[in-house]
Amino acid sequence: MALKAPRGTKDILPDETPWFQMLEETARRVFQRYGYQEIRTPMFESTELFTRSIGEETDIVSKEMYTFPDRKGRSLTLRPEGTAPVVRALIQANLLKRQGEQTLYQVKYGTPAKFYYMGSMFRYERPQAGRQRQFHQTGIEFFGCSSPLADAELIAMLSDYLQALGFKKPTTKLNTLGNMFSRKGYNDDLRNRLAAMKDKLCNDCTRRADVNPLRVLDCKNPNCQALFADFPVLKDFLDEESRTHYETVCAALDDFGVVYEESSNLVRGFDYYTHTVFETCLEGLGSQDAVLGGGRYDGLVEELGGPSTPAVGAAFGMERLVMAMKACGIALPSASAEGIVVVGMTEKCLPAAAKIAQDLRLKGFSTRFDFRAMGMKAALKTATKGNFGRMVLIGDDELEQGIATVKNLENREQEAVALTDVAAKVCGSLSV
Ligand code: HAM
């Protein structure tokens, strides 16, 4: 049987990679403007990291993780998301220890602890357009600042990034889950309501009703959704501190000119969130239309054994961003014609042509050489298939005279140049 990529995974072939490169390059450029630095963590972690951070009752942990024992029987999990691994890495490196108002990271490196990452994530979900089992995220995490202005700056940066990619000003859905106290009040209320309808709930919700009532709101079962339709929303349970935090985020977003809409049903499928949560959806993606999601997670660092550290972050789905860019008619920037194609016109000329190609590459030029003899017609055909600005031709006559013909493919002019001078002289007109 022919071997195929596993269900829910996709090869990103060279006609697709430029889209991902554009996402990555733009992310680096925009995020660095806001002081974010790159962090890379392992693709797999101990399972406990995710059960303790994302939450046992979430869909991700209870249904979607790729978990396996290694050869020594330790339970490992392919990372379903990047936040918990970044927190684990910072705790392990002791960088979040407080020194007065600042984290040790801030003291040591002189910058706030702001990180971005890019890479594969793994979730055992039912594959469909925009939903894969291995997908790519670009994430950002900001540690050590509890100010609601930090939430607003981060959301504004995400909007800045989307606009830098060519999207029009996006609308972000915004909600607050309040602090631990507000959450507890809401959870208690939900618990009482759910107890009264126990026999009508699905199995998952029956279990969640006791252990983690907030998670019933993630239930996809239409019967359950109908039962919860007129439940109060978390916003009704906010205490003073939570309300002020949320209102300050909204006011700052207004100030920054970021477009958002309040969405009181947005709870996000992770237990670690506190206060602000948000998601941005784009058109043209069908049912899987969220390109980014995030929020504040003030309790997570402590939960995982680190010092109490406020934090806020978000992640983009890169496949979904590519789909949305194509759906919106955003084009890749066209490459300038700066490559060189080198052609040996007979077998005998190939070694000299190969040497010229090598010289050009060492000088920094992107150079194509095809290892086979080619006549003028075939050579010109090859040249139309790439972004080539010059063609260097060596035929038997040229070889005998120690020269090459260099053709400018833009204005079709050509000149004879000594073999030893090709790299230095002719290509001076092209930028490396
Ligand atoms: P998330 O909402 O689970 O958040 O994922 C972020 C984005 O990843 C989604 O908006 C979506 O675009 C993409 N995504 C998620 N699952 C899939 C999938 N199966 N296939 C394709 N794309 C997918 C998080 O992961 C949080 N860690 C974000 C965060 C960072 N919160 C705080 N810091």
Side-chain angles (χ1 to χ4, degrees):
M1 217 172 65
L3 289 173
K4 284 191 175 161
R7 183 166 146 78
T9 69
K10 268 194 185 148
D11 300 307
I12 303 175
L13 297 172
D15 58 339
E16 283 285 300
T17 42
W19 291 96
F20 286 83
Q21 287 164 351
M22 177 185 173
L23 292 184
E24 289 161 6
E25 282 157 20
T26 311
R28 286 179 208 285
R29 198 178 66 241
V30 174
F31 298 169
Q32 278 169 11
R33 278 210 302 261
Y34 291 78
Y36 283 78
Q37 292 179 301
E38 187 173 0
I39 186 166
R40 301 184 190 203
T41 63
M43 211 82 93
F44 58 85
E45 298 271 356
S46 70
T47 301
E48 195 193 345
L49 173 64
F50 299 114
T51 51
R52 271 175 55 187
S53 56
I54 300 172
E56 304 255 13
E57 284 303 324
T58 58
D59 279 351
I60 293 184
V61 169
S62 63
K63 300 178 187 160
E64 298 170 2
M65 294 210 302
Y66 278 92
T67 296
F68 54 95
D70 73 1
R71 286 175 184 275
K72 291 249 168 81
R74 288 169 288 227
S75 182
L76 299 175
T77 293
L78 297 182
R79 61 180 183 197
E81 59 109 43
T83 310
V86 171
V87 171
R88 197 259 320 124
L90 297 177
I91 296 173
Q92 192 172 333
N94 217 10
L95 290 170
L96 295 176
K97 225 171 116 185
R98 304 295 294 190
Q99 281 206 347
E101 282 290 285
Q102 300 190 314
T103 57
L104 196 59
Y105 183 87
Q106 216 166 340
V107 174
K108 209 166 158 186
Y109 299 104
T111 66
K114 289 174 157 181
F115 305 94
Y116 72 88
Y117 50 87
M118 297 168 187
S120 297
M121 306 293 158
F122 306 85
R123 295 184 193 175
Y124 193 91
E125 293 188 84
R126 198 170 51 77
Q128 64 180 81
R131 192 162 70 190
Q132 294 173 203
R133 290 183 172 168
Q134 179 181 359
F135 58 100
H136 296 82
Q137 276 189 353
T138 297
I140 49 173
E141 315 290 350
F142 176 13
F143 297 90
C145 182
S146 58
S147 167
L149 295 177
D151 309 22
E153 181 197 82
L154 188 125
I155 295 170
M157 179 177 84
L158 303 174
S159 161
D160 185 359
Y161 175 58
L162 288 174
Q163 288 174 81
L165 290 174
F167 292 105
K168 296 205 190 77
K169 223 172 216 187
T171 304
T172 297
K173 287 185 198 156
L174 189 70
N175 193 21
T176 177
L177 302 181
N179 58 20
M180 301 295 184
F181 305 110
S182 311
R183 272 267 277 287
K184 186 173 178 317
Y186 187 52
N187 262 320
D188 289 346
D189 182 85
L190 284 181
R191 198 171 275 119
N192 291 336
R193 287 170 192 275
L194 293 166
M197 50 177 69
K198 226 170 184 155
D199 47 337
K200 297 190 185 121
L201 300 174
C202 74
N203 287 344
D204 280 348
C205 285
T206 308
R207 205 181 54 248
R208 290 161 168 167
D210 261 352
V211 197
N212 193 346
L214 189 66
R215 290 274 73 91
V216 301
L217 303 178
D218 301 336
C219 186
K220 311 273 182 315
N221 184 320
N223 296 333
C224 291
Q225 280 306 329
L227 289 172
F228 311 151
D230 41 60
F231 275 13
V233 291
L234 215 157
K235 242 167 147 188
D236 304 336
F237 291 78
L238 294 184
D239 63 8
E240 187 65 28
E241 188 229 341
S242 304
R243 198 168 305 117
T244 309
H245 187 102
Y246 183 64
E247 284 165 5
T248 314
V249 175
C250 294
L253 289 176
D254 288 334
D255 255 5
F256 295 170
V258 173
V259 186
Y260 63 92
E261 68 187 23
E262 299 187 54
S263 172
S264 54
N265 293 324
L266 182 68
V267 287
R268 308 260 310 130
F270 299 80
D271 279 356
Y272 53 59
Y273 288 122
T274 52
H275 291 292
T276 320
V277 285
F278 50 87
E279 255 175 30
T280 302
C281 299
L282 291 175
E283 279 168 28
L285 293 179
S287 61
Q288 303 300 311
D289 58 354
V291 286
L292 76 89
R296 180 163 277 287
Y297 49 98
D298 288 346
L300 182 59
V301 178
E302 202 170 6
E303 178 69 37
L304 293 178
S308 167
T309 309
V312 57
F316 286 93
M318 295 173 75
E319 282 79 2
R320 289 188 197 175
L321 274 179
V322 171
M323 282 171 70
M325 281 197 284
K326 290 179 181 172
C328 293
I330 297 172
L332 287 170
S334 54
S336 55
E338 57 195 24
I340 301 171
V341 61
V342 179
V343 175
M345 301 184 77
T346 64
E347 282 295 315
K348 203 165 78 178
C349 303
L350 293 180
K355 167 80 168 81
I356 295 262
Q358 186 60 8
D359 287 350
L360 288 166
R361 289 171 186 142
L362 292 176
K363 287 230 152 29
F365 293 100
S366 166
T367 307
R368 174 161 166 177
F369 171 63
D370 276 359
F371 304 97
R372 64 189 168 99
M374 255 188 268
M376 179 63 97
K377 214 167 147 198
L380 283 172
K381 205 166 162 199
T382 300
T384 57
K385 291 201 178 129
N387 290 306
F388 299 112
R390 301 286 184 278
M391 186 154 76
V392 178
L393 291 142
I394 307 177
D396 287 345
D397 291 349
E398 280 103 339
L399 190 63
E400 222 161 82
Q401 296 169 47
I403 58 166
T405 299
V406 178
K407 199 173 175 68
N408 182 327
L409 293 170
E410 282 144 318
N411 61 17
R412 301 272 148 179
E413 283 171 10
Q414 59 181 55
E415 64 176 314
V417 178
L419 284 178
T420 46
D421 287 349
V422 172
K425 196 168 159 201
V426 182
C427 302
S429 58
L430 290 175
S431 55
V432 178

